[in-house]
Amino acid sequence: MNGSGHDSGPGRRPGLELDEPLALSPHASVKIRAGTELLVLPERALRLGGSGGEILELVGSGHAGRSGAAIVEAMRRRYPDQAEGVESEVVRFLAEMIEIGAIVVGADGAGENDAGENGAGVTQAPDITRAATALRADAPAPLNLIAELTYRCPLRCPYCSNPLDFRERREALSAADWGRVFEEAAAIGVVHLGLTGGEPSVRGDLEEIVERAVAADLYPHLVTAGRPLDPDRLSRLAALGLRSVQVSIQDATAEASDRIAGTASFEQKLAICERTRALGLALTLNCVLHRHNLASVPAMIALARRFDADRLELANTQYHGWALRNRAALMPARDQLETAAEAVRTAEAESDRPAILFVRPDYHSERPKPCMGGWGRLAMVVDPTGRLLPCHDAATIPGLEFWNVLEQPVEACWARAPGMQAFRGTDWMVEPCRSCPARERDFGGCRCQAFALLGDAAATDPACALSPEHGRVVAARRVESSEDLVYRG
């Protein structure tokens, strides 16, 4: 028994007793790609190292109700030479899985002996995914596909991540095209699919797209603004295999939310939240934070609890696209961020639901974030025209050549396109990144931000305090604010 899961577990969960019945969450899946077991959750996917997959098999799914003690005993029988360390390792892994929502406690079912050795929680991939395509050694197997189905959207949010010239980029992929992309992506490792845009529900063929995602053994996750999607259509999508829904909320009241969205939409968003929960789908509320709504964080937490959301994402604005154009109107003050962070800490001390992700803006941090988990490392974006990219904004960097899935196989676009190789790994780095001990964690920060602010995509992200250009970010924190929002055109 050699390690039981992905890195950085939280340790034993307070209150976890080994006689408690456990089950795999209905919102979690374990999939297999090229012999590797992968845990898929509504917002992410993880590689299961060591004996993590074995433990989740023993946990089982549905109402198996196998206890932690029974799982420990089963693992001891499998690894008799390591029996002394089995309990601590299994308990640590179970605690971590409970923490991230992969395992639920208190399963009500037939009893621990009904979960067989080949537990029902593992979803075997179809043949196309088991026969994985060989990838270049310097092109790791991706886990996530972000499918930008369209740039059309009824909302006009001034922080939209879509490109400024989005109207010139028409959707070119049919549902059949997307189905082929899904199959080819699964063949090189992808398990999680984010259906996004723009607003994906403006597409009349969204149902067929979801069907094709399920047929390719992907976990389909819908990112929606809540309109024109309606509750009845959401029910149809769920029946076809949609697993989870993220609903964007611009603020905690109709007046404030509709002002930022640029159109009346708040009540429709709430209706989608309500139907999502009624259907038993995983629900994430996402609110992009900025100067105009940071004071609403406590109310947004209350709104998430009203709908018993699984997750609340409070992601401060990242300044790309429309957000960069609106930086002076959106940039928060330091005290606003600290007050909001304290509200999150208080809420987390009160309850573990929903799970809250509070992401500080790069401009108020001292270290950069690993954009998309690293350039061309974990996630791919396919835009409406068919270009395969490492992130939403990469096409704004001139001189990079990305390939189109309508012209090349997904494997080639991911592994061999010059643009995908440009900043993959660490060999491209300059100082201070090249000798930085954090280079394998943050990968030099955001290449798009470095280009947008410095005109050099290979430079250290100026959000990093070690960058010689960090002063530009510090100065932007103090830029004279504006009340004038430029809405998405």
Side-chain angles (χ1 to χ4, degrees):
M1 186 167 172
N2 181 24
S4 60
H6 92 123
D7 296 336
S8 65
R12 182 159 186 164
R13 173 179 173 267
L16 173 61
E17 300 295 336
L18 288 180
D19 59 354
E20 292 181 292
L22 307 172
L24 194 69
S25 166
H27 306 314
S29 291
V30 178
K31 297 184 182 293
I32 299 172
R33 296 289 189 267
T36 299
E37 292 168 309
L38 304 165
L39 173 64
V40 195
L41 297 169
E43 298 285 348
R44 58 176 167 165
L46 305 168
R47 291 186 176 88
L48 291 169
S51 55
E54 294 181 79
I55 296 172
L56 289 182
E57 286 182 19
L58 291 168
V59 171
S61 63
H63 298 288
R66 175 170 285 198
S67 70
I71 294 167
V72 168
E73 184 56 34
M75 293 300 290
R76 280 178 174 154
R77 290 196 299 269
R78 291 186 185 187
Y79 299 95
D81 295 340
Q82 302 177 47
E84 291 185 4
V86 165
E87 178 174 346
S88 60
E89 185 170 343
V90 170
V91 169
R92 182 199 64 79
F93 179 75
L94 292 175
E96 182 177 1
M97 293 297 102
I98 292 168
E99 183 79 15
I100 66 176
I103 291 176
V104 293
V105 180
D108 180 17
E112 61 191 37
N113 294 325
D114 288 348
E117 285 289 301
N118 298 315
V122 174
T123 301
Q124 293 287 344
D127 289 344
I128 187 172
T129 61
R130 286 204 295 269
T133 303
L135 286 169
R136 292 170 52 141
D138 55 354
L143 299 180
N144 304 286
L145 166 58
I146 299 163
E148 294 185 320
L149 302 182
T150 179
Y151 284 143
R152 291 178 288 154
C153 183
L155 273 60
R156 303 175 56 226
C157 304
Y159 51 74
C160 181
S161 63
N162 288 169
L164 298 180
D165 63 348
F166 70 91
R167 292 188 183 278
E168 300 173 16
R169 307 186 190 190
R170 302 292 183 180
E171 59 234 45
L173 280 69
S174 66
D177 292 326
W178 279 114
R180 177 183 60 79
V181 169
F182 298 158
E183 290 177 354
E184 292 181 5
I188 61 171
V190 167
V191 288
H192 186 278
L193 171 67
L195 298 169
T196 183
E199 170 51 48
S201 68
V202 303
R203 287 194 59 142
D205 58 356
L206 182 58
E207 286 81 358
E208 183 180 351
I209 290 171
V210 169
E211 284 185 293
R212 290 179 180 273
V214 173
D217 193 39
L218 299 182
Y219 184 114
H221 169 68
L222 181 66
V223 180
T224 179
R227 58 172 297 196
L229 184 65
D230 60 59
D232 289 342
R233 192 180 188 197
L234 181 60
S235 297
R236 295 195 297 273
L237 294 170
L240 293 170
L242 183 69
R243 295 293 303 271
S244 58
V245 180
Q246 180 189 114
V247 181
S248 67
I249 300 286
Q250 281 65 41
D251 209 322
T253 66
E255 180 181 5
S257 182
D258 292 347
R259 173 178 174 262
I260 294 298
T263 185
S265 55
F266 186 73
E267 295 302 329
Q268 290 165 282
K269 294 172 184 290
L270 300 191
I272 294 300
C273 291
E274 185 173 4
R275 181 59 62 90
T276 298
R277 296 310 292 156
L279 290 168
L281 301 177
L283 173 63
T284 296
L285 293 188
N286 175 273
C287 186
V288 176
L289 297 177
H290 45 78
R291 182 159 54 86
H292 300 275
N293 65 3
L294 271 162
S296 300
V297 164
M300 286 186 276
I301 294 171
L303 186 66
R305 287 176 173 168
R306 169 184 163 186
F307 289 106
D308 191 27
D310 299 281
R311 181 178 172 99
L312 172 62
E313 294 186 354
L314 298 171
N316 280 274
T317 302
Q318 302 300 309
Y319 294 97
H320 304 282
W322 294 91
L324 185 57
R325 175 172 287 190
N326 282 287
R327 189 172 66 179
L330 298 172
M331 183 68 67
R334 175 76 71 173
D335 61 342
Q336 287 183 294
L337 289 168
E338 296 306 327
T339 299
E342 180 58 33
V344 169
R345 286 191 290 270
T346 299
E348 290 176 329
E350 294 170 348
S351 173
D352 59 1
R353 284 190 66 86
I356 303 175
L357 177 66
F358 181 78
V359 182
R360 286 182 175 270
D362 287 349
Y363 281 62
H364 284 272
S365 301
E366 298 303 313
R367 290 291 183 271
K369 300 177 182 66
C371 182
M372 305 290 286
W375 183 282
R377 182 170 172 265
L378 297 174
M380 63 174 68
V381 176
V382 177
D383 77 8
T385 71
R387 277 185 306 182
L388 191 147
L389 306 165
C391 68
H392 300 277
D393 214 34
T396 63
I397 301 175
L400 296 184
E401 180 186 351
F402 299 106
W403 294 350
N404 194 298
V405 296
L406 293 175
E407 301 166 354
Q408 298 273 1
V410 168
E411 183 275 334
C413 296
W414 168 260
R416 299 196 293 276
M420 294 298 297
Q421 291 284 62
F423 302 110
R424 189 172 259 151
T426 60
D427 289 347
W428 58 271
M429 290 181 176
V430 297
E431 294 295 351
C433 295
R434 181 176 290 275
S435 59
C436 180
R439 64 185 180 279
E440 297 282 358
R441 294 196 300 271
D442 61 35
F443 299 97
C446 178
R447 301 299 88 224
C448 302
Q449 184 157 269
F451 174 75
L453 298 184
L454 306 178
D456 181 3
T460 300
D461 185 342
C464 181
L466 300 177
S467 165
E469 300 293 341
H470 184 60
R472 297 197 189 197
V473 168
V474 173
R477 299 173 191 167
R478 300 191 291 264
V479 69
E480 185 176 352
S481 62
S482 168
E483 294 298 320
D484 296 327
L485 291 170
V486 178
Y487 286 90
R488 181 183 190 265

